[in-house]
Amino acid sequence: MRPARAEEARTLAELFLAAREAAYPAMPHSVHPPEAVHRWFTELLGSARETWVAERDDAVVGYLVLDPDWLDSLYVRPGATGQGIGAALLDLAKALRPEGFGLWVFESNEPARRFYRRHGLVEVRRTDGRGNEEQAPDVEMAWLGPDPLGALRARIDGVDDDLAELLDRRARLTALVQQHKTVPGHAGRDTSREAEIAERMAARAPGLGAARLHRIMQAVITESLDAADEQE
């Protein structure tokens, strides 16, 4: 293992393209044409971002790109998989980021998910893919470092901070919509709409299920209406 050199941009671009092609359909095809991929690697190796390669018999057989808190990418050349190269690169990432890091993997890429789970990473979030270029469902995984409890609590704190802002927005909108209803407040609650909201949310959070989300949203709406009454 060694840091990548600027003149290896073409080598890494070709490795990436070959690895993505070999991984299909577990991974969707890259949305970028080969020439764009080559430009990206040229820019990458001309930047301060940390890029390492695995070399065997004077040939590059894998690479990783490591940001401060994220493992941006880890690829092994087709034909060289299953030989410990990916594990060695992942161990390098752990050594370089001992406090932990996150990464994204496509939900459909079960071999990669098994690999990361086998090496101690955990799945902390799933999305429908609207945030990635391929628009394919993905999974955030994390290496929690030497203090898993502290790392998970830090993540929970961040989610709770976001949740507080979302609940505030929801409460404000719930209060505003009462001004446009024939029967405002608790008396005018639309139970069928509340059920539809829970069903829609369940599509985004299947692990919670519609029934549980319905109970959660009943509480959110009740508290939002009570807050609105108190502010009048």
Side-chain angles (χ1 to χ4, degrees):
M1 249 82 67
R2 60 168 174 78
R5 297 189 289 262
E7 63 269 21
E8 292 175 314
R10 180 181 182 86
T11 298
L12 296 191
E14 291 174 350
L15 191 158
F16 167 83
L17 291 167
R20 287 296 292 263
E21 186 64 30
Y24 183 82
M27 292 180 72
H29 289 303
S30 172
V31 299
H32 300 288
E35 57 271 19
V37 172
H38 280 268
R39 284 196 303 271
W40 187 85
F41 276 96
T42 297
E43 293 170 1
L44 169 69
L45 296 185
S47 73
R49 295 181 72 189
E50 202 168 346
T51 306
W52 291 74
V53 299
E55 190 177 53
R56 186 177 62 190
D57 299 328
D58 297 323
V60 173
V61 290
Y63 76 88
L64 67 82
V65 180
L66 199 56
D67 292 322
D69 298 314
W70 288 92
L71 199 170
D72 178 85
S73 54
L74 188 162
Y75 286 93
V76 175
R77 185 178 298 281
T81 57
Q83 300 174 29
I85 297 167
L89 285 166
L90 186 58
D91 284 344
L92 174 64
K94 291 177 181 178
L96 294 169
R97 300 291 186 273
E99 296 305 311
F101 56 84
L103 60 85
W104 288 100
V105 60
F106 290 109
E107 184 182 271
S108 58
N109 194 356
E110 184 56 38
R113 290 168 63 190
R114 284 198 304 270
F115 166 78
Y116 288 123
R117 288 196 298 265
R118 190 166 65 249
H119 289 277
L121 279 76
V122 295
E123 298 185 354
V124 295
R125 178 167 48 142
R126 296 188 179 205
T127 85
D128 60 6
R130 68 182 63 191
N132 65 53
E133 293 177 322
E134 292 82 0
Q135 300 291 285
D138 54 9
V139 180
E140 181 187 351
M141 303 189 70
W143 166 250
L144 299 174
D147 181 15
L149 178 61
L152 288 170
R153 281 179 170 170
R155 286 177 173 269
I156 289 171
D157 288 346
V159 171
D160 287 345
D161 289 345
D162 293 340
L163 182 58
E165 294 183 4
L166 287 173
L167 288 172
D168 180 69
R169 285 176 57 195
R170 183 58 161 89
R172 290 175 185 274
L173 290 169
T174 299
L176 286 170
V177 79
Q178 305 312 309
Q179 302 171 18
H180 302 278
K181 295 175 69 173
T182 304
V183 180
H186 289 288
R189 289 180 67 163
D190 186 339
T191 56
S192 62
R193 172 164 168 76
E194 290 180 19
E196 290 172 4
I197 290 170
E199 291 289 344
R200 188 179 71 248
M201 293 176 72
R204 301 285 298 273
L208 290 173
R212 183 171 287 106
L213 284 165
H214 193 188
R215 293 193 296 271
I216 292 171
M217 290 310 298
Q218 282 181 318
V220 168
I221 293 168
T222 295
E223 296 300 329
S224 296
L225 290 170
D226 288 347
D229 288 342
E230 291 172 4
Q231 292 171 10
E232 289 182 357

